[in-house]
Amino acid sequence: MLTLLGGIALLVLGYFTYGRYIEKNFSIDPERTTPAEALKDGYDFVPMSKSKNAIIELLNIAGTGPIFGPIMGALYGPVAYIWIIVGCIFGGAVHDYMVGMISLRNDGAHLPELTSKYLGKPVKHIVNIFAMLLLMLVATVFVTSPANLIASITPDWMTIGIITLLIFAYYLISTILPIDKAMGKVYPWFGAVLIISTIAIGISLLTGGHNLPELTMGAMQNFHPKGTPIFPAIFFTISCGAISGFHATQAPMVSRTSTNEREGRFLFYGMMIAEGVIAMIWAGASMALFDGQTLSQMIDAGTPSAVVNQVSTMLLGNVFGTVAIIGVIVLPISSGLSAFRSLRTILADYMSIKQDSMKKILMMTIPLFVISFFLTKVDFNLIWRYFNWANQVTAVIALLMSTRYLYLKNKNYLVTLLPATFMLYACVVYILSEPIGFRMGLQTATYLVGLVATVAIMALYWTTGVKQKVALSPESELLNDHLPIGTFSSIDAVPAAVAAE
């Protein structure tokens, strides 16, 4: 119990201390006009309140990641707590804040446009591929996982196939609506269900006499029943609860609806901390209610949704447990919707297809849904592995972009460079060792090759950065917090006030 409560306290403390430092290092300007006001179009750029933006950001980034990931991460034992806490405060929350705020400074640009500006145009094509692959995998995962959860609490005639089609129908309707109608009206209700159910799970876990594992010196070991090494696997298993590249595709959506830079720490850093709290509760519940072998068998039998069902009903009973399951369901449904919405806008920007008519919106949206529908037929665990790989590579790219931004502006860039370097090494080792990569397995040679490759990549990155900074002039576009006019295909014209700047 002390570990769980202490971990949550550290996450909250991190928001008020390290989060404040990250905000100060970025140097916010509360008087600056935001994209929501300067580029208001009634569809994607719509001024909304801080509370609505916070709920949208939380539901967009959460999905089943901070629940499914920690459930699978619980197989490693209490060491999973360490990665959630440290990863969230120093990695994930910094990652989300920087991408969100840099996007806000650059007219609500998505990650590909930001990397094009700060890392060079050739990188934009690579990032577009990774971002679109990631979003397609996320969207598919966030159709499959809620379908399984809904099927577990509905009559037998509501098959997974029917539920999947209904979810796609909801996504289609919501994707083509203005953001304040698609999310602003519904998400506060979704958020209320999520928050209440999460609090209920946490209180029941703490007051129900359950044996919560503590993080002691004796528990500082790998308890995975299959012997899966902690490094690098745990950093890909627990992603959305600690650091996730998917968030880099979602933060720009809220940067287009925010009305003051002062709200950034709460919206981006704070909502990642909230996700970390959710992850702590579900990791603790999984470890407290099941031994590693049982937990592993439940996950292997299908998806972690079976664990969600058991945890909810065991802690809250059938009635309130069902409400808790609904609270979990709203996470992937909301994130799936935002994934499709982001995927459509990124693809439209890349192909220079203005999203100024329903015909063009549907032309971009429907093919994406068709591809995702066929992907739902693929084994969930296989998709999850590819999702985790693409997810963390995207996180590394986002952190490197953020580092370059801070470096060029003479800010403390170590706050993003250090987590970027660590995650890059984890990604390289993962790709070298896993079946989806070079199949080297985890041996000494793998770690050494991974180290050499990481050093080489970072040396190239640093060299290009130094050359870029030396060549800067005071009026350089890189020091101007606006993208060139006409960057977005979905915007017909940039207001005169912005053009003048």
Side-chain angles (χ1 to χ4, degrees):
M1 182 184 296
L2 290 177
T3 302
L4 178 60
L5 290 175
I8 293 174
L10 284 174
L11 287 169
V12 175
L13 182 63
Y15 169 75
F16 287 104
T17 55
Y18 197 64
R20 192 177 297 279
Y21 173 75
I22 294 299
E23 178 185 58
K24 182 179 179 181
N25 187 55
F26 183 82
S27 300
I28 63 170
D29 180 5
E31 303 301 320
R32 184 185 179 89
T33 301
T34 65
E37 299 161 324
L39 303 174
K40 184 176 179 180
D41 64 0
Y43 188 75
D44 289 316
F45 293 83
V46 181
M48 289 200 291
S49 67
K50 178 181 176 181
S51 58
K52 282 189 176 181
N53 280 325
I55 287 295
I56 289 173
E57 174 69 6
L58 176 60
L59 292 179
N60 281 358
I61 66 175
T64 48
I67 297 175
F68 280 20
I71 286 173
M72 293 187 285
L75 293 170
Y76 294 93
V79 293
Y81 287 137
I82 298 176
W83 174 231
I84 294 172
I85 298 167
V86 176
C88 192
I89 294 173
F90 299 102
V94 176
H95 167 281
D96 292 12
Y97 179 83
M98 289 303 302
V99 174
M101 293 302 292
I102 296 173
S103 173
L104 193 148
R105 285 281 177 92
N106 284 274
D107 305 336
H110 278 291
L111 184 61
E113 281 73 32
L114 296 177
T115 53
S116 176
K117 177 176 180 177
Y118 295 106
L119 299 181
K121 291 183 179 180
V123 182
K124 176 180 179 178
H125 302 297
I126 298 174
V127 176
N128 262 305
I129 292 171
F130 269 104
M132 288 188 283
L133 171 63
L134 173 61
L135 286 167
M136 181 57 72
L137 293 174
V138 166
T140 302
V141 168
F142 293 163
V143 169
T144 303
S145 53
N148 281 290
L149 286 168
I150 294 172
S152 69
I153 59 173
T154 53
D156 291 340
W157 62 267
M158 283 288 287
T159 65
I160 290 180
I162 293 174
I163 296 169
T164 298
L165 289 175
L166 290 174
I167 292 174
F168 272 119
Y170 168 72
Y171 284 171
L172 178 60
I173 295 170
S174 298
T175 300
I176 61 179
L177 290 174
I179 191 169
D180 57 330
K181 303 295 189 301
M183 299 178 180
K185 300 291 186 183
V186 180
Y187 275 30
W189 295 99
F190 281 2
V193 174
L194 166 66
I195 293 169
I196 292 171
S197 61
T198 301
I199 291 174
I201 291 283
I203 292 175
S204 179
L205 187 63
L206 294 172
T207 61
H210 301 286
N211 183 25
L212 280 162
E214 302 291 352
L215 185 61
T216 62
M217 291 303 298
M220 292 284 287
Q221 56 181 298
N222 185 3
F223 288 94
H224 200 292
K226 296 181 180 179
T228 305
I230 291 177
F231 187 89
I234 198 170
F235 305 104
F236 293 84
T237 303
I238 304 176
S239 53
C240 290
I243 182 171
S244 168
F246 170 62
H247 298 187
T249 67
Q250 301 306 295
M253 192 179 301
V254 173
S255 74
R256 297 181 177 195
T257 58
S258 304
T259 57
N260 196 302
E261 288 192 1
R262 190 183 287 111
E263 299 174 352
R265 181 163 64 97
F266 182 72
L267 296 179
F268 302 118
Y269 197 102
M271 291 307 101
M272 182 60 212
I273 293 295
E275 186 176 279
V277 173
I278 295 172
M280 288 289 291
I281 290 173
W282 279 94
S286 301
M287 285 185 267
L289 299 180
F290 308 105
D291 61 78
Q293 195 63 45
T294 302
L295 189 61
S296 178
Q297 290 172 353
M298 293 172 68
I299 294 171
D300 290 343
T303 71
S305 59
V307 181
V308 172
N309 293 348
Q310 289 293 317
V311 168
S312 300
T313 54
M314 289 173 69
L315 290 178
L316 302 178
N318 290 330
V319 176
F320 292 107
T322 300
V323 175
I325 294 171
I326 294 173
V328 175
I329 289 170
V330 304
L331 286 173
I333 286 182
S334 55
S335 291
L337 164 61
S338 63
F340 275 120
R341 195 179 186 99
S342 297
L343 181 55
R344 173 184 60 77
T345 55
I346 288 175
L347 184 59
D349 287 343
Y350 191 54
M351 298 178 67
S352 298
I353 299 176
K354 292 183 181 295
Q355 299 292 277
D356 54 3
S357 70
M358 189 60 63
K359 179 181 178 180
K360 291 180 180 178
I361 291 172
L362 291 174
M363 181 177 70
M364 299 302 299
T365 302
I366 293 178
L368 299 176
F369 281 19
V370 172
I371 295 172
S372 181
F373 177 77
F374 283 106
L375 284 176
T376 62
K377 307 301 179 183
V378 179
D379 177 60
F380 172 86
N381 291 317
L382 178 63
I383 293 178
W384 186 265
R385 286 197 294 271
Y386 278 94
F387 155 69
N388 282 333
W389 170 70
N391 191 32
Q392 299 305 57
V393 171
T394 304
V396 170
I397 294 171
L399 284 169
L400 291 177
M401 180 278 297
S402 301
T403 301
R404 184 65 58 83
Y405 176 91
L406 293 173
Y407 172 68
L408 294 176
K409 290 183 174 292
N410 297 313
K411 306 289 185 181
N412 178 9
Y413 55 83
L414 292 178
V415 295
T416 50
L417 178 63
L418 293 179
T421 305
F422 175 79
M423 288 307 302
L424 174 61
Y425 180 58
C427 286
V428 173
V429 172
Y430 186 84
I431 294 169
L432 289 173
S433 62
E434 289 294 310
I436 65 171
F438 292 89
R439 300 174 178 267
M440 290 179 60
L442 290 173
Q443 52 182 316
T444 303
T446 307
Y447 294 114
L448 290 176
V449 172
L451 180 61
V452 171
T454 300
V455 170
I457 293 170
M458 292 307 298
L460 177 63
Y461 169 79
W462 188 254
T463 301
T464 57
V466 171
K467 290 181 178 179
Q468 192 178 31
K469 190 169 186 177
V470 169
L472 282 181
S473 60
E475 62 275 4
S476 172
E477 177 189 311
L478 288 171
L479 296 179
N480 173 30
D481 282 331
H482 275 302
L483 281 175
I485 295 174
T487 295
F488 301 118
S489 63
S490 56
I491 302 175
D492 291 319
V494 177
V498 176
E501 292 184 33

